[in-house]
Amino acid sequence: MAATGPSLFVASPLVTSTAGNSVRNRCLSSFRAMAVSADQKSSPATVATRSTEKGRWLEEKNRKGRKEEEELTSNIYSNPQEITDENGNTLREYFQECKDLMIQSKAGPPRWFTPLECGSHAPDSPLLLFLPGIDGMGLGLFKHHHKLGKIFEIWCLHIPVTDKTSFTDLVKLVERTVRSEYKRSPDRPIYIVGESLGACIALDIAARNPDVDLVLILANPATSFSRSQLQSLIPVLQVMPDQLSLYFSYMLNLASGDPLRMAIENVAKGLMPHQIVGELTQDLVAMSSYLCVLADMLPRETLLWKLQMLKSASSSANSHLHAVKNQALLLCSGKDQLFPSEEEAQRLYRMLPKCEKRVLEESGHFLFLEDGFDLVTAIKGASFYRQGKYLDYVSDYIPPTPYEFKKIYESNRWVLAVTSPVMLSTLEDGKVVRGLAGIPSEGPVLYVGYHMLLGFELAPLVLQFLMERNILLRGIAHPMMFTRAKEGRMLDLGSFDTYRLMGAVPVSGSNFYKLLSSKSHALLYPGGVREALHRKGEEYKLFWPEQSEFVRMASRFGAKIVPFGVVGEDDVGELVFDYNDQMQIPSLRTFIKELTEEVVHLRIDASGEVSNQDVYLPGVVPKLPGRFYYYFGKPIETKERKEELRNRERAHEVYLHVKTEVEKCIAYLKEKREEDPYRNLMTRLVYQATHGFEAQVPTFEL
């Protein structure tokens, strides 16, 4: 939701500016952020200010409550095509803000400020400190302020152009702030987002303060400065006259991006050629007009000072890497022209014990200023957002924004198009209807069903629930999507960011408990990996444990259990090279063993086939796509049977009943799909060609 109330200028205990009242007044009247001293300590007045902020936030939250309820009722996810893009600030506005900030703070020591775009955050939101790159403006997160401000308390470090504070003193300055905030809220994590130079400061802070709960987000760290082409600029700048500005065009090119790539992206957006020319012309003219702003941001003397600081910063950070034990997320650009960031990220990934990395192949050095990158989405997708000492996958989860959902929908749109899913549900009177009208609205609800090969059914299932019923399915997933037992050949964890963004949680008793206690709609596959990686001839066969795993927990919270079946995997591909085939080949047998050792083992005490949790990659030959069918049976009530289902035998009877219902759903769909005249892709395309490609394609009679 957009912030509509008055923005909060005072966002830290540092409420008194040492720059003087005149500067502060100008900031209040003409700039979007208030600069404050980094050394001002908390006072009774500060505590009162924070109490006032909390009251203001609660009042604002209540005021927005009705509007949010109306939006939920109308289901903003129902039509992804109509969801508008999130309006981020433009590069032109960024340069204007830099210009305004330089006018208002030409001199003075480094200081913290909170941008007005950040709006009001929850009182218990974690603190996020942004440490800038060599520009020192502190506006590097300019495009992300609004979204970040909803979930963080944000302070940005501003280093005036003429300031000559050394790297060591910058580290001490940030460290004082970190220690002060840790003392004030020891159970609240402190996030440090560092860009190039700022990343080096963040690493030094983490090494010097192992007792503080710091979460590091490092974008293209300058720890690779010794291998950077920027080093060659130092001797040039030492002899270059101040009147020359040959390097400005180079810096501008790095900041603005590749015009050809921008044109391609605009074509992808569906713009007409004359619009493309117009937008490119506008952007390039605007950026060229701010060439003088770049010159003011990095005059020769300042740039020389910053490059020399980068050299010492890189050396210091690298010497302390062994002491960094904090959770860290590395964001590296594949087309960084300043640093070898992709190569450096791999090095840091090996050295930092609690580190994850994300590679942005098409991005340049100034990652945070690019239109295609969303920092909040990256944090959520990596499961890096938490409000306490430990991550709670249920209470710390933030649902996808409408635009995040739109991007996920668009990336999976082809799956929906070629499989044309048919979803059936059962009403309370037992009538089977097309659509999800029979799905319970209120949780807790537990959906228990069959897992297709490689989980083919997941994307249409989760997307359709959100679009049609505004229900977010929280999938209970294998831990391989969240962590590794050891590094090796398994897919990078970033491959599963979309699953985490859409609410998946690692399977565990505590997470299952939390989902049901919070009245969530949980999705469970008792067959797990063995079912999703089945062998030839095993499609639609359930591989469930012999003993009940979920009935007693569901009954404890009175959850409804919805059995469901899905069919269609044999209509999109044929499994030709399965586990048994691969185990006959020594090299592949070794490969399967290595993959399996990399993931967390489950069901080690189970018996039967379900205990075989080996991980392998099935060989599938695609077919001309058929159709996916989903059938949700009548919900099974447990609310009135809590006492009865405490008995293990009674719970096991319900467990077997659920399993039987899932098998019946599968059998029903296998039989009825034979009657579907639109089971084949070609007949569906003919129908859509005559009725419109957005038209719902009919199916068999119910």
Side-chain angles (χ1 to χ4, degrees):
M1 299 294 295
T4 56
S7 297
L8 301 178
F9 285 87
V10 181
S12 75
L14 318 172
V15 296
T16 304
S17 172
T18 58
N21 290 332
S22 60
V23 172
R24 179 178 175 179
N25 290 336
R26 283 202 303 275
C27 290
L28 289 170
S29 61
S30 62
F31 187 52
R32 305 167 81 117
M34 183 183 75
V36 293
S37 166
D39 297 321
Q40 184 71 25
K41 294 188 177 180
S42 301
S43 65
T46 298
V47 177
T49 300
R50 290 185 178 276
S51 299
T52 303
E53 286 179 10
K54 184 172 182 178
R56 253 198 312 251
W57 179 84
L58 291 172
E59 182 181 345
E60 181 73 5
K61 181 180 179 182
N62 292 333
R63 191 178 70 80
K64 293 179 182 179
R66 180 167 298 184
K67 184 176 180 181
E68 290 178 348
E69 286 180 8
E70 290 174 356
E71 289 190 354
L72 279 175
T73 303
S74 63
N75 189 4
I76 52 180
Y77 302 106
S78 61
N79 194 341
Q81 292 90 342
E82 295 181 359
I83 295 175
T84 57
D85 293 356
E86 291 170 343
N87 295 321
N89 296 314
T90 65
L91 195 60
R92 187 185 316 173
E93 292 172 320
Y94 165 75
F95 281 120
Q96 183 60 53
E97 293 289 3
C98 289
K99 182 178 179 181
D100 292 343
L101 182 55
M102 284 189 293
I103 292 173
Q104 296 164 19
S105 58
K106 291 181 179 179
R111 64 204 71 176
W112 297 104
F113 70 91
T114 292
L116 276 179
E117 297 96 329
C118 294
S120 57
H121 56 82
D124 54 353
S125 295
L127 175 65
L128 185 149
L129 303 177
F130 174 64
L131 308 180
I134 60 172
D135 63 288
M137 289 291 102
L139 291 172
L141 297 180
F142 184 66
K143 286 177 171 286
H144 311 272
H145 285 161
H146 182 66
K147 284 188 71 174
L148 286 170
K150 294 180 180 180
I151 59 176
F152 289 106
E153 179 182 356
I154 302 177
W155 301 2
C156 303
L157 182 64
H158 171 64
I159 306 172
V161 173
T162 58
D163 179 72
K164 293 296 179 69
T165 302
S166 68
F167 174 76
T168 301
D169 287 338
L170 284 176
V171 170
K172 291 178 179 178
L173 183 153
V174 176
E175 185 177 31
R176 284 195 295 271
T177 302
V178 166
R179 299 301 308 182
S180 173
E181 285 303 300
Y182 172 68
K183 183 178 180 181
R184 190 177 66 84
S185 302
D187 295 327
R188 181 176 73 158
I190 298 176
Y191 284 70
I192 303 182
V193 178
E195 183 180 32
S196 62
L197 171 63
C200 293
I201 298 175
L203 288 168
D204 264 21
I205 295 295
R208 291 161 61 106
N209 298 273
D211 59 316
V212 180
D213 184 11
L214 297 174
V215 180
L216 309 181
I217 300 176
L218 312 175
N220 299 321
T223 46
S224 61
F225 182 76
S226 62
R227 306 191 306 278
S228 167
Q229 56 183 313
L230 286 180
Q231 264 205 132
S232 61
L233 280 179
I234 295 178
V236 175
L237 291 173
Q238 288 174 333
V239 299
M240 189 176 73
D242 288 336
Q243 292 80 5
L244 296 180
S245 57
L246 296 177
Y247 59 92
F248 291 144
S249 59
Y250 173 64
M251 295 296 291
L252 178 62
N253 180 59
L254 291 174
S256 62
D258 178 8
L260 178 59
R261 180 163 62 89
M262 293 164 61
I264 293 173
E265 289 174 352
N266 283 333
V267 170
K269 292 177 185 176
L271 298 178
M272 298 298 290
H274 68 275
Q275 291 176 296
I276 296 171
V277 174
E279 285 205 1
L280 282 177
T281 302
Q282 272 189 344
D283 290 342
L284 293 176
V285 169
M287 288 184 288
S288 298
S289 67
Y290 284 106
L291 188 60
C292 60
V293 179
L294 277 173
D296 291 339
M297 288 168 59
L298 292 170
R300 186 193 67 82
E301 186 179 355
T302 298
L303 182 58
L304 179 59
W305 171 264
K306 292 290 180 66
L307 291 178
Q308 291 170 335
M309 183 191 292
L310 275 178
K311 187 175 181 180
S312 60
S314 175
S315 176
S316 178
N318 280 311
S319 67
H320 295 137
L321 284 178
H322 65 281
V324 178
K325 309 298 181 184
N326 305 75
Q327 188 181 12
L329 177 62
L330 291 172
L331 303 173
C332 59
S333 299
K335 294 185 177 179
D336 188 345
Q337 299 180 54
L338 293 185
F339 300 114
S341 292
E342 194 168 354
E343 176 187 332
E344 179 65 5
Q346 189 61 38
R347 184 182 75 92
L348 294 176
Y349 179 69
R350 292 193 298 265
M351 296 188 68
L352 302 177
K354 297 180 181 179
C355 181
E356 289 189 32
K357 63 179 174 68
R358 299 294 183 269
V359 180
L360 294 307
E361 297 288 356
E362 299 300 318
S363 295
H365 179 74
F366 300 99
L367 175 63
F368 294 143
L369 294 178
E370 297 196 2
D371 289 336
F373 179 74
D374 189 319
L375 180 56
V376 172
T377 302
I379 292 172
K380 289 161 60 176
S383 294
F384 261 59
Y385 183 77
R386 55 185 171 88
Q387 295 181 317
K389 285 189 175 182
Y390 304 100
L391 172 64
D392 187 320
Y393 284 98
V394 178
S395 63
D396 285 328
Y397 174 68
I398 302 172
T401 65
Y403 183 63
E404 287 171 342
F405 173 73
K406 179 182 179 179
K407 293 181 70 174
I408 294 172
Y409 170 82
E410 289 176 344
S411 67
N412 288 279
R413 194 171 182 176
W414 68 272
V415 178
L416 300 175
V418 300
T419 61
S420 187
V422 174
M423 297 203 177
L424 310 176
S425 61
T426 309
L427 302 178
E428 290 184 2
D429 60 5
K431 182 181 179 181
V432 178
V433 296
R434 184 169 185 181
L436 301 175
I439 298 299
S441 298
E442 296 184 4
V445 181
L446 180 62
Y447 303 86
V448 184
Y450 166 71
H451 219 350
M452 276 189 185
L453 182 68
L454 294 173
F456 285 152
E457 82 286 355
L458 279 172
L461 174 62
V462 174
L463 294 174
Q464 192 63 33
F465 260 70
L466 204 49
M467 289 189 293
E468 186 174 337
R469 292 298 309 275
N470 199 22
I471 291 174
L472 182 63
L473 289 180
R474 304 294 306 274
I476 301 174
H478 195 283
M480 73 170 71
M481 296 184 179
F482 303 86
T483 187
R484 294 281 183 271
K486 69 175 186 178
E487 289 303 315
R489 302 186 183 186
M490 184 63 70
L491 284 173
D492 188 272
L493 286 176
S495 305
F496 303 106
D497 282 1
T498 298
Y499 293 90
R500 293 192 288 267
L501 190 61
M502 291 299 291
V505 304
V507 60
S508 72
S510 60
N511 284 335
F512 190 27
Y513 178 95
K514 292 173 183 176
L515 285 173
L516 296 180
S517 65
S518 62
K519 298 185 177 181
S520 299
H521 289 248
L523 177 62
L524 177 66
Y525 293 104
V529 167
R530 179 60 181 85
E531 207 164 85
L533 298 178
H534 61 68
R535 321 323 183 205
K536 285 183 287 188
E538 293 180 347
E539 58 270 10
Y540 311 127
K541 181 179 179 181
L542 301 184
F543 290 91
W544 289 21
E546 294 181 1
Q547 299 299 318
S548 169
E549 291 186 329
F550 57 83
V551 174
R552 296 177 72 198
M553 183 73 81
S555 66
R556 180 172 183 174
F557 296 97
K560 297 181 177 69
I561 301 174
V562 179
F564 72 93
V566 292
V567 302
E569 66 175 80
D570 52 342
D571 275 350
V572 297
E574 180 180 358
L575 178 58
V576 296
F577 195 44
D578 68 0
Y579 174 82
N580 295 327
D581 296 327
Q582 295 180 30
M583 289 296 285
Q584 301 300 317
I585 303 173
S587 60
L588 292 180
R589 183 167 61 245
T590 301
F591 180 64
I592 291 173
K593 181 180 179 181
E594 290 174 352
L595 285 182
T596 304
E597 289 174 349
E598 292 174 27
V599 303
V600 176
H601 292 185
L602 301 175
R603 291 174 170 161
I604 54 178
D605 297 326
S607 59
E609 269 299 309
V610 73
S611 65
N612 186 343
Q613 297 285 302
D614 287 359
V615 179
Y616 85 104
L617 184 61
V620 181
V621 175
K623 292 182 179 179
L624 186 66
R627 202 170 192 181
F628 283 177
Y629 302 87
Y630 300 73
Y631 176 27
F632 297 88
K634 186 176 180 180
I636 299 171
E637 297 282 353
T638 66
K639 188 174 182 179
E640 305 300 327
R641 304 177 63 183
K642 289 184 180 181
E643 294 299 323
E644 175 191 353
L645 294 179
R646 287 184 178 180
N647 181 281
R648 290 184 180 275
E649 292 184 0
R650 296 297 185 189
H652 188 64
E653 290 175 4
V654 174
Y655 176 76
L656 294 178
H657 174 60
V658 173
K659 183 179 181 181
T660 301
E661 288 299 307
V662 172
E663 291 172 333
K664 287 181 179 179
C665 290
I666 294 173
Y668 174 84
L669 291 175
K670 289 174 68 178
E671 178 184 349
K672 295 295 289 184
R673 70 174 174 175
E674 301 294 336
E675 305 171 10
D676 187 358
Y678 300 100
R679 178 179 174 183
N680 184 275
L681 175 63
M682 300 309 297
T683 56
R684 294 198 300 273
L685 290 176
V686 172
Y687 181 89
Q688 290 176 320
T690 55
H691 294 79
F693 284 94
E694 298 300 324
Q696 185 182 62
V697 181
T699 186
F700 51 77
E701 292 186 6
L702 298 176

